[in-house]
Amino acid sequence: MKPDEQVASDPVEANVIACELPEEARPKLEVMLSLIEPCDRATYGERLREGAKKLGVTMRSVQRLVKAYQEEGLAAFTSSPRADKGKHRIGESWQDFIIKTYQQGNKGSKRMTPKQVALKVQAKASEMGDKEPPTYKTVLRVLKPLQEKEAKAKSIRTPGWRGSTLSVKTRDGDDLEISYSNQVWQCDHTRADVLLVDQHGELIGRPWLTTVIDSYSRCIMGINLGFDAPSSQVVALALRHAILPKQYGAEYKLNCEWGTYGKPEYLYTDGGKDFRSNHLAEIGVQLGFVPKLRSRPSEGGIVERPFKTLNQSLFSTLPGYTGSNVQERPKDAEKDAQLTLRELEQLVVRFLVDQYNQRIDARMGDQSRYQRWEAGLRRVPELISERDLDTCLMKVTRRTVQRGGHLQFENVMYRGEYLEGYAGEIVSVRYDPRDITTIWIYRQEKQQEVFLTRAHAQGLETEQLSVDEAKASAKRLRDAGKTVSNQSILLEVMEREAFVEGKKTRKQRHKEEQLYKQVPATPGVEAVEPVESEVDEGTQTEYEFADIEVWDLDELREDYGW
């Protein structure tokens, strides 16, 4: 029995990573995570009651907390501010007078201080006969937001390089001084300018590439390549790849190692929905990093520049290259496309590991990007196991355990140890969409998901099968009128790989695809004797010609050149 196949005895040690939330907010986060898990209505009510008991409040208070979390995210777990915070105990007329006087006094080349505004207020109150006008401190409080906005506008540009230290500005006005590796990571998406084909040679389009880069060294930490549009889940998969140590097989033909790993202190990104999601905020809380948004789009040069390098140095050399301009797209881009997603991923990994990370950045002096990352570490990065990242980063679905410890996912049958005793129960299935031959099974216990075991696709243990490949194989088998099973998927994968290796032109690809269907025996080939079964004459007569398919010999000769 392997260590990672054993049942976790302590759910906290097995799945939970230290959080950065205040101590009083952690119980609220645990209750919220249990409530956002998919379940039926009865289970949700039970979790709601348990959450109210755990927090020592009413169920209605927990429901209000859920609503606040949906609207505000993790900010809902902190103490609520006063209802009158930001308001002043003076009339709106006085507030308008103070702001208008200050703005008019600083219009153009004129300048007016808050002290001078307070004198104007005193004069106005004397004219009106107001014996309790706003004081100087009140004037300062009214003008404070306006002055802060002016100060931020003056320093809107990123400080940039200060000697040998880089500084970036966040949307909330903070300056992050980048002085060591794994301090600030950046993440972004782009569509690769290469057209890809599916497993059967049919054109499917351009994939999305997500990269995670270390701001200090400019070293690429991790990637995610696929056809899923940018989302918090795609960001999570890229982060998972960046955090874990990376190992590749001989098929990648790497000359160097991709030795980067660890976790950041800050994740610096643009303001897209995927980076502002509650999902990413929860990942940050559990892993211990703080998401920060860029104050301006122009500050994304560090993470966007590698896309241009990949486009010019790699994608432009591949078949199916489209170019960055649709109007200037090569005429034969669609016809030349022949790479699959897996083949492109191998090429991208090899380019990043053997070229990009090994190059000397102009700003770095005489160190390569990888050397600078390695030399810039303040301490040896913490090794986080794959199991600790499952709850945060891997895609989730739910399945019912069948008899014998089996369960089905994407038309593939799996079996895992220790699952026989959970027959009929609903479990969480976590998987890597790039390879679903192995999945990880979790069970909900006391508001925590406890790791049970790994489950392997029966008959596919030595293969690599992605979610997209499993769906395409199942669809093709159904279209051919065959039963979908692990064995049929395996045979389809083997035939498809042999077909892809021999593809040359689109016309030949279509002709080879037709050969996938069953054809009648050719002359000279010994026929296989059918196995006789003991059935009565009535049954044999009823089903005797049920599976016979009629072929036109003249059409076959014309199609296949017999």
Side-chain angles (χ1 to χ4, degrees), residues 333-346:
E334 289 82 1
K335 296 180 180 179
D336 293 340
Q338 56 181 296
L339 292 176
T340 63
L341 180 64
R342 186 175 299 175
E343 292 169 343
L344 180 62
E345 191 256 349
Q346 292 176 0

Side-chain angles (χ1 to χ4, degrees), residues 431-440 463-467:
Y431 62 95
D432 186 342
R434 294 170 296 184
D435 185 8
I436 61 170
T437 55
T438 299
I439 58 178
W440 293 268
E463 299 294 324
Q464 184 177 354
L465 184 70
S466 69
V467 171

Side-chain angles (χ1 to χ4, degrees), residues 155-386:
S155 62
I156 189 66
R157 295 183 63 85
T158 298
W161 288 91
R162 295 172 178 171
S164 61
T165 302
L166 175 65
S167 181
V168 294
K169 184 177 287 294
T170 66
R171 184 171 294 185
D172 51 13
D174 296 334
D175 288 336
L176 299 178
E177 291 192 358
I178 303 169
S179 55
Y180 50 90
S181 301
N182 284 4
Q183 179 190 9
V184 179
W185 286 1
Q186 300 191 37
C187 182
D188 206 353
H189 319 273
T190 191
R191 230 173 188 162
D193 293 332
V194 179
L195 292 172
L196 300 183
V197 298
D198 62 10
Q199 308 92 295
H200 315 298
E202 292 298 325
L203 189 68
I204 51 179
R206 298 157 55 199
W208 284 96
L209 174 64
T210 303
T211 60
V212 179
I213 187 171
D214 177 56
S215 300
Y216 177 77
S217 62
R218 306 295 204 279
C219 201
I220 301 293
M221 304 296 296
I223 64 170
N224 184 74
L225 186 66
F227 290 100
D228 292 329
S231 65
S232 62
Q233 193 64 248
V234 172
V235 175
L237 290 171
L239 280 174
R240 180 178 184 270
H241 183 253
I243 291 171
L244 291 173
K246 288 160 275 291
Q247 297 179 352
Y248 291 97
E251 67 274 12
Y252 285 81
K253 302 178 181 179
L254 299 181
N255 297 315
C256 303
E257 292 184 358
W258 198 341
T260 61
Y261 67 99
K263 63 179 180 179
E265 296 178 11
Y266 298 94
L267 183 65
Y268 188 65
T269 64
D270 61 30
K273 290 183 179 180
D274 47 339
F275 297 118
R276 293 184 285 109
S277 64
N278 291 335
H279 179 211
L280 189 59
E282 292 165 3
I283 293 174
V285 169
Q286 296 185 41
L287 293 183
F289 67 82
V290 181
K292 291 287 186 180
L293 302 180
R294 302 197 297 251
S295 62
R296 301 181 72 185
S298 58
E299 296 167 359
I302 292 178
V303 69
E304 293 173 358
R305 183 60 180 88
F307 294 146
K308 184 177 180 181
T309 302
L310 280 164
N311 199 32
Q312 293 176 342
S313 302
L314 177 64
F315 297 151
S316 61
T317 66
L318 301 178
Y321 175 67
T322 63
S324 56
N325 192 332
V326 177
Q327 297 178 350
E328 299 177 1
R329 174 175 295 184
K331 296 181 180 179
D332 297 331
E334 289 82 1
K335 296 180 180 179
D336 293 340
Q338 56 181 296
L339 292 176
T340 63
L341 180 64
R342 186 175 299 175
E343 292 169 343
L344 180 62
E345 191 256 349
Q346 292 176 0
L347 294 172
V348 170
V349 168
R350 186 177 182 184
F351 176 83
L352 294 177
V353 175
D354 289 348
Q355 283 202 46
Y356 189 85
N357 284 350
Q358 303 302 324
R359 289 180 181 174
I360 297 177
D361 191 284
R363 303 177 185 86
M364 301 299 105
D366 59 350
Q367 288 180 319
S368 68
R369 296 183 176 99
Y370 177 70
Q371 288 173 341
R372 182 172 173 83
W373 174 83
E374 196 172 28
L377 292 171
R378 299 179 67 180
R379 62 183 68 87
V380 177
E382 177 186 358
L383 279 173
I384 302 178
S385 69
E386 294 188 28

Side-chain angles (χ1 to χ4, degrees), residues 314-544:
L314 177 64
F315 297 151
S316 61
T317 66
L318 301 178
Y321 175 67
T322 63
S324 56
N325 192 332
V326 177
Q327 297 178 350
E328 299 177 1
R329 174 175 295 184
K331 296 181 180 179
D332 297 331
E334 289 82 1
K335 296 180 180 179
D336 293 340
Q338 56 181 296
L339 292 176
T340 63
L341 180 64
R342 186 175 299 175
E343 292 169 343
L344 180 62
E345 191 256 349
Q346 292 176 0
L347 294 172
V348 170
V349 168
R350 186 177 182 184
F351 176 83
L352 294 177
V353 175
D354 289 348
Q355 283 202 46
Y356 189 85
N357 284 350
Q358 303 302 324
R359 289 180 181 174
I360 297 177
D361 191 284
R363 303 177 185 86
M364 301 299 105
D366 59 350
Q367 288 180 319
S368 68
R369 296 183 176 99
Y370 177 70
Q371 288 173 341
R372 182 172 173 83
W373 174 83
E374 196 172 28
L377 292 171
R378 299 179 67 180
R379 62 183 68 87
V380 177
E382 177 186 358
L383 279 173
I384 302 178
S385 69
E386 294 188 28
R387 300 291 71 75
D388 291 332
L389 293 173
D390 289 350
T391 304
C392 304
L393 304 179
M394 298 186 72
K395 290 190 175 182
V396 180
T397 187
R398 300 174 72 82
R399 288 293 182 271
T400 301
V401 180
Q402 302 175 9
R403 291 183 179 179
H406 294 83
L407 55 85
Q408 191 173 20
F409 171 63
E410 293 296 344
N411 294 306
V412 178
M413 186 62 68
Y414 296 82
R415 187 180 186 279
E417 298 183 21
Y418 313 111
L419 287 182
E420 296 183 10
Y422 298 97
E425 294 192 19
I426 297 178
V427 295
S428 296
V429 175
R430 305 190 183 275
Y431 62 95
D432 186 342
R434 294 170 296 184
D435 185 8
I436 61 170
T437 55
T438 299
I439 58 178
W440 293 268
I441 311 300
Y442 278 74
R443 181 171 182 260
Q444 192 77 21
E445 291 183 6
K446 298 180 180 179
Q447 313 305 325
Q448 295 285 346
E449 282 197 340
V450 180
F451 176 66
L452 293 181
T453 185
R454 292 192 305 179
H456 302 283
Q458 295 187 300
L460 300 175
E461 292 84 352
T462 61
E463 299 294 324
Q464 184 177 354
L465 184 70
S466 69
V467 171
D468 294 333
E469 290 173 339
K471 291 180 179 179
S473 297
K475 182 178 183 301
R476 195 175 187 198
L477 289 168
R478 284 194 297 267
D479 293 342
K482 297 182 179 181
T483 303
V484 179
S485 66
N486 287 22
Q487 186 64 23
S488 62
I489 289 179
L490 176 60
L491 292 174
E492 195 280 333
V493 169
M494 296 171 62
E495 292 178 9
R496 178 244 306 158
E497 289 180 348
F499 157 73
V500 171
E501 290 178 358
K503 65 180 182 295
K504 295 181 179 179
T505 64
R506 178 171 288 255
K507 182 177 180 181
Q508 290 175 332
R509 290 200 298 266
H510 282 295
K511 189 172 182 180
E512 291 292 333
E513 186 177 9
Q514 293 176 0
L515 293 177
Y516 176 82
K517 298 181 179 180
Q518 182 180 0
V519 296
T522 57
V525 178
E526 183 179 355
V528 179
E529 292 292 335
V531 179
E532 296 182 0
S533 57
E534 296 182 359
V535 294
D536 58 277
E537 293 184 358
T539 305
Q540 186 174 0
T541 302
E542 183 179 357
Y543 297 100
E544 185 175 4

